[in-house]
Amino acid sequence: MKHTITLIKGDGIGPEVSDATVRCVEAAGLRVKWEIAEAGEDAIKKYGTPLPESTLDSIRKNKVAIKGPITTPIGTGFRSVNVSLRKQLNLYACLRPCKHYEGVRSKYPGTDLVIVRENMEDLYAGIEFEMGSAGARKLIDFIAENEGSKIQSDSGISIKPISRTGTQRIAKFAFEYAQKYGRKKVTSVTKANIMKHTDGLFMRTAEEVSKGYPDVAYEHRLVDNMCMQLVQKPELYDVLLLPNLYGDILSDLCAGLVGGLGVAAGANIGDEYAVFEATHGSAPSYARKNKVNPTAMILSGVLMLRHIGEANAADRLENAVAAVIKQGRDVTYDMKPNRDDPTAAGTQEMADAIIRHL
Ligand code: NAD
């Protein structure tokens, strides 16, 4: 079957890692028409917005997009493209597999975790009151009247909403992912002992949802304890289900366990649309040098292939990436024992080696 997929190349190192990914995905056997869509700094110059409506329309039409990293403009008043995409397309699940590949430097060989992070709620909902603002004063007065507790008058306030419906859908996503990919256990992670009405609701709702999936084990851990457990015995865990903020932090922790940003793939998924992208940013100082590691974006391509039902192509591509990393010869500077190694491959040369292994 021929697929039409929206391709956003991004900026900084985005175009290089996107080109490497496109070549690998096609070589793995995907029959595809790429619909190129713009976003980021160039789009601001052309359309006056970093996320033009035509780009959103393309994703709405094709349902699936793959995206290179995009620089977040500072001081322009524009919202980050990444945040806008999540909100506008209702991409409520952030998926981050953290798997160790032999040959990647890591203190935790064999680690194979999947993070499922809620993407829309929690302290990231963007509901904030600036210190000294009328809104902050009103809220402080309201709380003093209703709760009897005093908040310092010179406080800034961020609101943490966590809903039952939002938690139900992310918990279902985690259990369904576990079932589909043969994972044995889902661990929800919160601070429910302290924030009873937000994290507590998340924990209770996740437990309720778990009852509908008797073939997948379920447990809960407190987030502080979980951080310690992950650096001591990550092999005890499988799929981690987290609210937004803890999910953000533990995603990076787990990426660190398996070798860091160069290999950390990701996806933002909703009921209708999915956008696949590496965890790393646009690393502008490396742009156009053919130097950075394309692995994270190529592995995001592997996730995309699985999502669109191209499991054979996904397995072949993942095995080819694993083989090149294991061999350790045609890998980029960051994967060499010494970062100044003159034999390090460039971005495209590493992609060529992956293609040869397909
Ligand atoms: P970054 O991930 O771009 O880079 C940090 C450092 O990580 C780089 O200097 C480099 O040493 C290393 N690195 C990153 N990707 C690598 C790769 N593929 N191979 C080898 N080394 C790699 O983080 P930053 O500097 O904090 O952010 C730069 C810009 O990217 C910012 O504008 C930020 O907002 C944006 N950003 C975008 C996304 C996205 O589009 N999804 C995600 C994160 C950050």
Side-chain angles (χ1 to χ4, degrees):
M1 174 182 163
K2 188 162 180 178
H3 301 267
T4 306
I5 295 172
T6 302
L7 170 65
I8 303 170
K9 291 194 177 186
D11 51 41
I13 58 169
E16 296 158 56
V17 291
S18 297
D19 288 346
T21 302
V22 162
R23 293 199 294 120
C24 288
V25 165
E26 286 179 359
L30 186 72
R31 295 182 58 234
V32 59
K33 174 175 171 260
W34 302 104
E35 202 167 281
I36 311 266
E38 291 168 289
E41 283 180 328
D42 287 350
I44 298 180
K45 286 182 209 137
K46 222 162 141 186
Y47 304 96
T49 165
L51 184 59
E53 206 47 43
S54 53
T55 296
L56 286 166
D57 286 345
S58 171
I59 303 174
R60 288 193 185 108
K61 176 167 66 75
N62 299 327
K63 314 282 186 215
V64 178
I66 187 157
K67 169 185 159 298
I70 292 175
T71 308
T72 303
I74 298 173
T76 59
F78 290 116
R79 194 188 226 181
S80 138
V81 168
N82 306 307
V83 174
S84 300
L85 272 175
R86 272 172 229 163
K87 295 235 151 145
Q88 304 233 29
L89 299 174
N90 209 4
L91 306 174
Y92 61 82
C94 177
L95 183 69
R96 296 265 179 87
C98 298
K99 176 173 171 180
H100 177 256
Y101 292 93
E102 199 184 333
V104 178
R105 267 190 313 286
S106 158
K107 293 192 172 70
Y108 302 93
T111 299
D112 184 7
L113 294 162
V114 177
I115 303 247
V116 174
R117 163 188 170 193
E118 202 286 325
N119 237 352
M120 317 285 285
E121 303 196 314
D122 197 355
L123 285 161
Y124 286 61
I127 309 163
E128 297 200 288
F129 297 88
E130 193 180 354
M131 181 197 81
S133 65
R137 276 199 301 276
K138 249 183 168 171
L139 198 52
I140 289 168
D141 290 345
F142 174 83
I143 289 166
E145 274 166 35
N146 289 277
E147 296 293 320
S149 58
K150 180 95 183 109
I151 295 181
Q152 290 277 12
S153 60
D154 58 351
S155 301
I157 302 173
S158 300
I159 302 289
K160 174 177 165 124
I162 289 190
S163 70
R164 196 172 143 72
T165 41
T167 307
Q168 277 171 335
R169 69 180 180 177
I170 193 70
K172 278 187 191 146
F173 181 95
F175 281 100
E176 267 154 39
Y177 180 93
Q179 267 186 339
K180 184 169 173 193
Y181 293 104
R183 299 269 171 178
K184 301 277 176 286
K185 181 169 75 172
V186 172
T187 306
S188 76
V189 183
T190 72
K191 192 76 184 167
N193 53 336
I194 304 294
M195 282 161 279
K196 296 185 171 50
H197 300 305
T198 48
D199 286 16
L201 178 63
F202 190 97
M203 179 187 75
R204 290 190 297 278
T205 307
E207 191 178 337
E208 274 166 35
V209 171
S210 76
K211 304 245 160 50
Y213 301 86
D215 49 336
V216 180
Y218 171 75
E219 66 186 3
H220 173 265
R221 291 277 179 276
L222 292 173
V223 63
D224 41 353
N225 176 247
M226 191 68 202
C227 289
M228 188 182 68
Q229 300 250 340
L230 282 171
V231 295
Q232 286 191 326
K233 35 195 172 182
E235 68 279 4
L236 294 186
Y237 298 97
D238 197 346
V239 177
L240 306 184
L241 164 64
L242 306 102
N244 212 336
L245 176 63
Y246 311 137
D248 192 7
I249 298 167
L250 264 65
S251 296
D252 270 31
L253 188 155
C254 291
L257 296 180
V258 298
L261 281 180
V263 291
N268 293 300
I269 302 176
D271 290 333
E272 286 181 275
Y273 315 113
V275 177
F276 295 83
E277 64 176 343
T279 301
H280 62 71
S282 58
S285 60
Y286 287 87
R288 292 176 295 282
K289 291 192 175 149
N290 187 37
K291 200 169 167 193
V292 294
N293 193 343
T295 303
M297 181 126 180
I298 295 172
L299 290 175
S300 305
V302 169
L303 294 180
M304 181 187 77
L305 287 169
R306 294 226 163 87
H307 179 83
I308 61 176
E310 296 282 354
N312 285 343
D315 290 345
R316 288 181 64 216
L317 184 51
E318 186 179 9
N319 291 340
V321 171
V324 169
I325 292 175
K326 186 174 174 188
Q327 209 175 45
R329 195 188 60 200
D330 301 305
V331 294
T332 47
Y333 73 98
D334 55 309
M335 289 190 142
K336 294 282 187 184
N338 172 2
R339 288 168 80 92
D340 299 322
D341 188 330
T343 68
T347 309
Q348 301 311 326
E349 289 67 39
M350 184 165 176
D352 291 339
I354 292 167
I355 291 167
R356 282 197 300 277
H357 277 80
L358 279 165

